[in-house]
Amino acid sequence: MTARTPAVARKPRIGLVAGGLGAYWPQFPDLLPQLRRSADRVTARMRAFDADVIDAGFISDAQEGAAAAETLRAADCDLIVGFLTTYMTASMLVPVARRSGAPVLLINLQPTESMDHANFDTGQWLAYCGACPLPEMANAFERVGVPFRSVSGYLEDDRAWQRIGRWIRAAGVRSVLRHGRHGLMGHLYPGMYDVSTDLTMVTGNLGGHVEVVEFDDLRVRVEEVTDRQLDAKLAETRDVFELADSVVAEDLRWAARVSAGLDRLVADFDLDTLAYYHRGLDAEIHERLGAGMILGSSLLTARGIPACGEYELRTSLAMLVADRLGAGGSFTELQALDFTAGVVEMGHDGPGHLAISERKPLLRGLGVYHGKRGWGVSVEFDVRHGPVTLVGLGQSCEGRYRLVAAEGEVVPGPHLTIGNTTSRVDFGCDPGEWTDAWSASGVGHHWALATGGLLPELRALAGLTDLELVEVTV
């Protein structure tokens, strides 16, 4: 059995095919060598992205297009890029689009910004003619039921390559979702209708697999943690966190032991994400395990395996999307509105994405967790100041998933010191009006808070996954 590549290490597989109309080659002998040089340059720049590139070569007619289609179909690509070097017929690329099973991006990158009109002959002009077949491709793709997307520019056009990069990153997220294994441990937080998730719909909307695990699966692994593993986890914790005076040594050791057990659980079940909750009773072992999850879940999230509480599977998926776009993604909900400062305060108790903290994250000892049983250590930090994007995964009454997003800016200001992640987000409008608009999107009461402006990347992801993207603005 071939070992599965975990989502944290998986690279998107990008198929690449270049082409032009073969009738030109005997008419203009210098044209094909020039177009091949352009194709070589595109291949080199494509390989500079963090992706595996499968180059199907240069095609000149429909027969070669069909052969390239078979090559790329067998490669199981996440995205296929077709480079239009000059005019070519739709019959050359429609087989690629139809047979591959992957989304197709067409790129039209002429050699330079503009032609030398006074000195160019017909053959030299044809090297700039990649725009000519774009409407033909769009028409043919529409008629055969293939979504159309394209990027036009010139070979060294940074703006065009930024757009191409967005599609490649989106293909990487699509791949992670299609192949991911998502852990769900415990049971639903009682009464949270918005959090309840039909596991079949995860696979139906996104692909991947939901692995249901038990708290007893964690219990046996925590019991097997060695003193050496515990000491290593304690050392890691002291290196990553500032420890508040309220941290009780026994509680810290328990959280570190649970964290080491969590590492084993994630490895044994081959998980890319984890969502959990257990209510517990009278400090029995399952309650203690649930209360001890915050440290380990935060450390997992920081290394690219999003983990969140309250059984919030769709939010752990939203966190995965944000993380694979290089933006972190911390478990978040609304906390309060500051009408004086004009900001929305948001965050969560429990785990957070340590890699996007404004400062060294703090571990605070709590004698009680609000709304949850148990006690122990909790994470406290503020997301890095600057532009941020909220990324949520909502669901319609028909069961269709939708991405919900809004851009704002995390700004400095006062924070509660109660063991919560808390960020002050300015959306450039009245916080009450923004809160009403965000709530009306159907996002649910949890989402991922990610750094940077992600709307262009999320639009690309929506275009590759057939997910609706709801952009919340006021």
Side-chain angles (χ1 to χ4, degrees):
M1 179 178 178
T2 302
R4 189 186 74 98
T5 301
V8 71
R10 185 181 300 111
K11 294 182 178 182
R13 295 174 63 83
I14 307 301
L16 179 62
V17 58
L21 185 64
Y24 295 148
W25 313 151
Q27 296 174 326
F28 307 100
D30 294 333
L31 178 59
L32 181 57
Q34 180 181 2
L35 299 183
R36 287 189 180 277
R37 288 193 295 273
S38 292
D40 289 343
R41 179 58 180 153
V42 166
T43 300
R45 291 207 63 162
M46 291 288 293
R47 294 194 188 283
F49 289 103
D50 190 20
D52 293 327
V53 179
I54 298 92
D55 190 349
F58 197 101
I59 62 175
S60 299
D61 55 33
Q63 290 86 350
E64 292 179 359
E70 286 304 303
T71 297
L72 297 176
R73 181 192 61 79
D76 189 25
C77 298
D78 299 303
L79 178 71
I80 290 173
V81 178
F83 176 28
L84 311 181
T85 66
T86 185
Y87 176 75
M88 57 194 298
T89 64
S91 65
M92 297 167 64
L93 282 183
V94 164
V96 174
R98 289 281 290 167
R99 298 180 194 177
S100 67
V104 178
L105 169 68
L106 300 184
I107 60 174
N108 153 45
L109 301 176
Q110 63 188 38
T112 64
E113 294 94 326
S114 62
M115 293 187 292
D116 182 356
H117 296 79
N119 297 303
F120 269 24
D121 61 20
T122 302
Q124 291 167 308
W125 155 60
L126 286 172
Y128 284 72
C129 203
C132 180
L134 265 181
E136 177 177 340
M137 299 297 173
N139 177 279
F141 279 29
E142 171 69 21
R143 292 165 68 183
V144 300
V146 172
F148 178 81
R149 55 192 70 84
S150 67
V151 172
S152 293
Y154 55 94
L155 278 177
E156 305 303 334
D157 184 351
D158 288 338
R159 290 176 300 178
W161 282 105
Q162 286 174 4
R163 293 170 62 198
I164 293 168
R166 288 187 194 122
W167 288 110
I168 292 175
R169 287 190 292 276
V173 176
R174 176 180 179 270
S175 174
V176 166
L177 294 174
R178 287 177 64 219
H179 299 284
R181 288 175 52 83
H182 311 295
L184 193 59
M185 184 169 69
H187 62 81
L188 181 70
Y189 191 109
M192 288 186 179
Y193 283 172
D194 64 318
V195 167
S196 63
T197 300
D198 181 339
L199 307 191
T200 305
M201 296 311 297
V202 174
T203 301
N205 281 275
L206 304 174
H209 168 75
V210 179
E211 183 74 11
V212 177
V213 296
E214 305 282 355
F215 261 84
D216 283 323
D217 293 317
L218 176 62
R219 175 183 58 78
V220 296
R221 287 163 176 81
V222 169
E223 290 171 351
E224 293 170 354
V225 171
T226 66
D227 289 343
R228 182 176 180 180
Q229 291 169 330
L230 176 60
D231 289 342
K233 186 61 67 172
L234 285 168
E236 178 186 3
T237 300
R238 293 189 176 98
D239 181 60
V240 171
F241 290 92
E242 177 185 351
L243 302 185
D245 293 340
S246 56
V247 172
V248 176
E250 180 182 352
D251 295 343
L252 180 61
R253 289 180 63 84
W254 174 248
R257 183 177 293 278
V258 173
S259 178
L262 267 177
D263 290 346
R264 273 273 316 278
L265 180 86
V266 166
D268 290 348
F269 284 93
D270 196 20
L271 301 180
D272 299 311
T273 69
L274 176 66
Y276 67 90
Y277 174 75
H278 184 80
R279 181 167 55 189
L281 186 65
D282 294 337
E284 50 84 32
I285 184 59
H286 300 92
E287 177 187 304
R288 293 291 293 127
L289 288 167
M293 292 277 290
I294 295 172
L295 170 63
S297 295
S298 298
L299 292 171
L300 283 174
T301 301
R303 75 172 209 243
I305 304 173
C308 66
E310 298 184 10
Y311 215 59
E312 245 296 21
L313 173 58
R314 291 200 312 280
T315 297
S316 63
L317 291 167
M319 292 164 64
L320 182 65
V321 168
D323 187 83
R324 293 311 180 272
L325 291 175
S330 198
F331 189 37
T332 303
E333 66 183 0
L334 294 173
Q335 292 181 328
L337 308 181
D338 187 335
F339 290 96
T340 302
V343 300
V344 178
E345 297 183 65
M346 58 181 65
H348 211 283
D349 64 309
H353 199 308
L354 308 177
I356 61 171
S357 175
E358 171 69 12
R359 55 179 173 80
K360 191 171 186 178
L362 178 77
L363 270 188
R364 186 176 296 280
L366 299 177
V368 62
Y369 292 153
H370 76 271
K372 303 177 181 70
R373 300 186 192 274
W375 67 93
V377 297
S378 190
V379 173
E380 185 176 297
F381 68 77
D382 179 17
V383 166
R384 189 179 308 132
H385 296 176
V388 291
T389 304
L390 281 57
V391 183
L393 196 61
Q395 182 177 353
S396 72
C397 61
E398 293 85 13
R400 295 299 304 168
Y401 284 5
R402 61 167 67 102
L403 290 165
V404 184
E407 291 186 341
E409 182 178 2
V410 171
V411 296
H415 294 82
L416 295 173
T417 55
I418 59 172
N420 284 18
T421 62
T422 304
S423 297
R424 300 169 62 83
V425 188
D426 184 352
F427 292 99
C429 62
D430 176 79
E433 293 182 11
W434 181 88
T435 300
D436 291 336
W438 179 251
S439 300
S441 71
V443 66
H445 84 278
H446 299 119
W447 51 86
L449 180 59
T451 55
L454 298 185
L455 284 179
E457 281 78 7
L458 293 173
R459 290 169 189 146
L461 177 61
L464 294 185
T465 57
D466 199 30
L467 291 171
E468 176 190 6
L469 172 61
V470 178
E471 301 180 24
V472 177
T473 59
V474 177

